[in-house]
């Protein structure tokens, strides 16, 4: 249950939002930290090592490799 609640607060990303990075543009400037690019796990989730913000791919998102 706790895991589901944690993902409820996740920032959802679409294919056009990749590569994922934090801080995102919706975050206030005063709370910024150095930009870090996030590697999405196989289950489509990533967590920022600085602020702990969780990012998740929207269901059905297709990720294209380089």
């Amino acid at each position: 249950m706790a895991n589901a609640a944690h993902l409820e607060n996740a920032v959802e990303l679409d294919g056009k939002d990749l590569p994922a990075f934090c801080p995102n543009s919706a975050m206030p400037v005063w709370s910024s930290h150095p930009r870090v690019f996030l590697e999405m796990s196989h289950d489509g989730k990533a967590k920022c090592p600085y602020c702990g913000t969780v990012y998740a791919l929207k269901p059905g998102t297709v990720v294209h490799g380089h």
Side-chain angles (χ1 to χ4, degrees), residues 1-10 45 54 56:
M1 258 321 169
N3 194 20
H6 190 63
L7 291 178
E8 213 173 89
N9 297 325
K45 298 174 189 79
V54 176

Side-chain angles (χ1 to χ4, degrees), residues 17-58:
D17 300 319
L18 299 176
F21 60 88
C22 192
N24 63 58
S25 58
M27 294 178 160
V29 174
W30 63 265
S31 66
S32 289
H33 54 68
R35 179 177 282 190
V36 59
F37 287 90
L38 306 169
E39 185 173 339
M40 303 303 282
S41 64
H42 291 291
D43 62 352
K45 298 174 189 79
K47 185 176 180 180
C48 177
Y50 285 101
C51 66
T53 300
V54 176
Y55 294 84
L57 294 176
K58 291 180 182 176

